[in-house]
Amino acid sequence: SAVISQKPSRDICQRGTSLTIQCQVDSQVTMMFWYRQQPGQSLTLIATANQGSEATYESGFVIDKFPISRPNLTFSTLTVSNMSPEDSSIYLCSVDGSGQGVGEQFFGPGTRLTVL
Amino acid sequence: AQSVAQPEDQVNVAEGNPLTVKCTYSVSGNPYLFWYVQYPNRGLQFLLKYITGDNLVKGSYGFEAEFNKSQTSFHLKKPSALVSDSALYFCAVRDGGTYKYIFGTGTRLKVLA
């Protein structure tokens, strides 16, 4: 299994500002994923980040709002831009355990974001 | 389109009793099915998966799940519940042709002492 850390663990931000969330994995992985979990709800995939290529965004999520970087095989960042209270959520990164996109995913502890 | 349904928002069970958390799915190809648990203020922890093979799969912490193709179900079970099992449980499906997960809405399990 992979060990994943995220920074920050939580933050309170003002409307209109941006926050960058970091995700660090203890091993090299091809596929990393970013999810959003709104209060009391399920997880929604934001985008898939592969090293060396542009992130692939899901319907309803755009690069201008959620830019992602993937500079190497152990690290990724997600930026939540021009935040509004509706962006208040837990943001989780995950990696695929099989390395081939077919196994279980391992999740970081999450970043709890509150936008005022 | 792929979908996962967890029909119960909450399940209450007495400690020592068997527990079942329900999950049904809909996929176009072969299903890859997963269960995760989320404790308060923590990320998701992988419990078990069904990819192929035996319909009864065993996972972490004494949990098991039964894959039923005809009923398109993948219910999570445990013979004897513990108070420490109280958490939020998510079922997820991955279509065999893609890497994307679809998560259910989650079921909050409360084990009463």
Side-chain angles (χ1 to χ4, degrees):
Chain A
S1 65
V3 177
I4 304 168
S5 60
Q6 285 185 234
K7 290 181 182 179
S9 59
R10 59 178 62 224
D11 208 341
I12 300 173
C13 300
Q14 296 297 320
R15 180 195 298 262
T17 63
S18 298
L19 176 72
T20 295
I21 302 168
Q22 298 178 10
C23 178
Q24 180 75 51
V25 188
D26 68 343
S27 58
Q28 294 185 339
V29 293
T30 303
M31 304 178 78
M32 294 181 74
F33 307 91
W34 287 98
Y35 289 85
R36 181 172 72 183
Q37 184 179 20
Q38 295 183 302
Q41 297 189 26
S42 186
L43 283 76
T44 302
L45 181 64
I46 297 171
T48 303
N50 290 339
Q51 195 269 337
S53 63
E54 294 287 329
T56 302
Y57 290 83
E58 297 301 303
S59 175
F61 298 96
V62 295
I63 188 171
D64 290 345
K65 175 68 176 176
F66 297 101
I68 288 171
S69 77
R70 183 77 202 276
N72 57 52
L73 291 173
T74 64
F75 187 77
S76 178
T77 67
L78 169 77
T79 299
V80 186
S81 303
N82 188 24
M83 288 184 285
S84 67
E86 292 71 34
D87 294 320
S88 296
S89 287
I90 298 172
Y91 291 85
L92 298 123
C93 68
S94 74
V95 303
D96 176 74
S98 71
Q100 298 168 353
V102 296
E104 62 271 27
Q105 291 187 7
F106 297 102
F107 287 82
T111 296
R112 184 179 293 271
L113 171 62
T114 302
V115 184
L116 303 178
Chain B
Q2 303 177 84
S3 66
V4 176
Q6 292 181 245
E8 302 155 317
D9 290 336
Q10 180 159 323
V11 170
N12 295 327
V13 62
E15 187 175 30
N17 282 3
L19 69 87
T20 299
V21 182
K22 296 180 180 178
C23 173
T24 59
Y25 66 90
S26 175
V27 298
S28 56
N30 292 323
Y32 292 0
L33 296 158
F34 305 84
W35 275 102
Y36 287 83
V37 59
Q38 186 176 35
Y39 297 100
N41 301 313
R42 308 242 332 245
L44 274 72
Q45 296 181 33
F46 169 71
L47 279 178
L48 51 79
K49 66 181 177 184
Y50 173 84
I51 304 297
T52 187
D54 290 341
N55 290 341
L56 183 65
V57 293
K58 295 186 183 296
S60 306
Y61 312 121
F63 284 94
E64 58 188 29
E66 185 169 10
F67 170 65
N68 187 317
K69 187 172 183 179
S70 63
Q71 296 186 5
T72 61
S73 66
F74 189 56
H75 300 330
L76 181 70
K77 300 181 180 183
K78 187 173 182 180
S80 179
L82 300 172
V83 172
S84 57
D85 292 330
S86 299
L88 186 57
Y89 290 80
F90 288 99
C91 181
V93 65
R94 170 182 279 165
D95 189 294
T98 76
Y99 53 80
K100 298 180 185 179
Y101 271 35
I102 301 295
F103 281 88
T105 50
T107 298
R108 188 165 300 280
L109 174 67
K110 190 170 184 179
V111 181
L112 307 170

